Amino acid sequence: GHAQGQRKRRAVVASRYDNKSSMVGQNPFGDARVVTIRVGAYSSWGDPEKVGLTELRVLDMRGVAIPLAPGNIRVRYAHCNRLTLAKLLNNKIATTTSRVMWDVAQPVSLRKGVIVELLISIAAKYQPRILRLWNYNSSESLVLQNGQQMHGPDRGMKDVQVIVNDDVAWKGEVPRAPGEARMGYHYDIPLVSDKTIPDLSLSPTRSLATMGG
């Protein structure tokens, strides 16, 4: 009986690792049919009036982008319509043109905590594993209401917390965008800490002990 149990366990382990591109393993989301990814921005890189991103994608366990539409995304703490949300998914990445990027006004009476939160809903069958963000990459100068000038990338998200189905998956700092029209400035955030997932050469993450103060 003991030897048979060991053989069964070995077979299960082997089935997880026999093909890296189609690993099965345990579903890290349990019985949930929908995975909700909450991306909360606690600060910008300096712009006190708005915060934004150039693009976002969610990758599956093979590193392939999961199909997303504006209907998959909701916004909390800020007003945003679907036309504006579509800018997060328009594949315009190697650009410094602000009109193709997503941004929202920060609340006038900013309370301590989250400025804006994106809620991304994805069917669990797609097995989301990585959140890939391209920060706000405009090269234009921003003129604030008080006349102060800032650089376009100052509008990007800085301190961010990612919650997946009510569990904090990641806290850290998303790098400021370069403000140059090129690819390669994305930042990858792991959505699960499952040791069986393949290495997608994740960007190193800097953990923050506290956020928002």
Side-chain angles (χ1 to χ4, degrees):
H2 176 70
Q4 190 177 4
Q6 275 196 327
R7 278 197 298 274
K8 275 186 181 176
R9 279 193 292 276
R10 276 199 294 268
V12 168
V13 170
S15 74
R16 284 187 188 175
Y17 289 93
D18 59 358
N19 183 351
K20 262 203 164 186
S21 65
S22 60
M23 288 171 139
V24 284
Q26 287 285 322
N27 176 8
F29 308 112
D31 296 328
R33 296 201 171 180
V34 175
V35 178
T36 302
I37 303 160
R38 291 165 50 194
V39 186
Y42 285 75
S43 64
S44 71
W45 275 97
D47 187 342
E49 294 178 358
K50 291 188 176 184
V51 66
L53 292 169
T54 297
E55 185 87 3
L56 72 75
R57 286 183 195 155
V58 179
L59 310 183
D60 65 15
M61 61 198 308
R62 296 166 297 142
V64 175
I66 294 167
L68 289 178
N72 292 97
I73 305 174
R74 289 183 295 129
V75 175
R76 291 175 70 190
Y77 311 119
H79 176 71
C80 183
N81 60 33
R82 285 199 178 187
L83 277 176
T84 309
L85 276 175
K87 294 179 181 180
L88 283 168
L89 308 169
N90 61 12
N91 292 316
K92 297 185 188 304
I93 294 166
T95 180
T96 57
T97 305
S98 62
R99 70 173 181 273
V100 300
M101 299 175 193
W102 172 82
D103 64 8
V104 289
Q106 297 188 24
V108 177
S109 57
L110 181 61
R111 59 198 189 291
K112 187 178 178 183
V114 67
I115 298 171
V116 64
E117 189 173 60
L118 292 166
L119 288 87
I120 309 162
S121 298
I122 296 174
K125 67 180 182 182
Y126 286 112
Q127 301 188 330
R129 291 294 190 273
I130 303 292
L131 173 67
R132 177 166 288 180
L133 301 179
W134 286 263
N135 223 338
Y136 197 85
N137 194 43
S138 169
S139 62
E140 300 157 24
S141 290
L142 309 173
V143 182
L144 306 183
Q145 288 175 357
N146 63 7
Q148 182 186 356
Q149 279 208 341
M150 309 202 78
H151 298 295
D154 293 338
R155 189 165 287 177
M157 292 183 176
K158 186 182 180 187
D159 295 321
V160 169
Q161 175 174 272
V162 177
I163 296 173
V164 180
N165 285 6
D166 298 324
D167 293 321
V168 176
W170 185 86
K171 282 184 183 183
E173 193 174 280
V174 177
R176 189 177 182 272
E180 299 168 3
R182 59 178 172 83
M183 303 290 281
Y185 62 96
H186 63 269
Y187 192 69
D188 285 350
I189 294 173
L191 299 175
V192 292
S193 58
D194 184 349
K195 302 299 184 197
T196 66
I197 64 172
D199 176 18
L200 296 178
S201 301
L202 304 185
S203 309
T205 56
R206 279 171 289 180
S207 180
L208 292 181
T210 59
M211 309 233 343

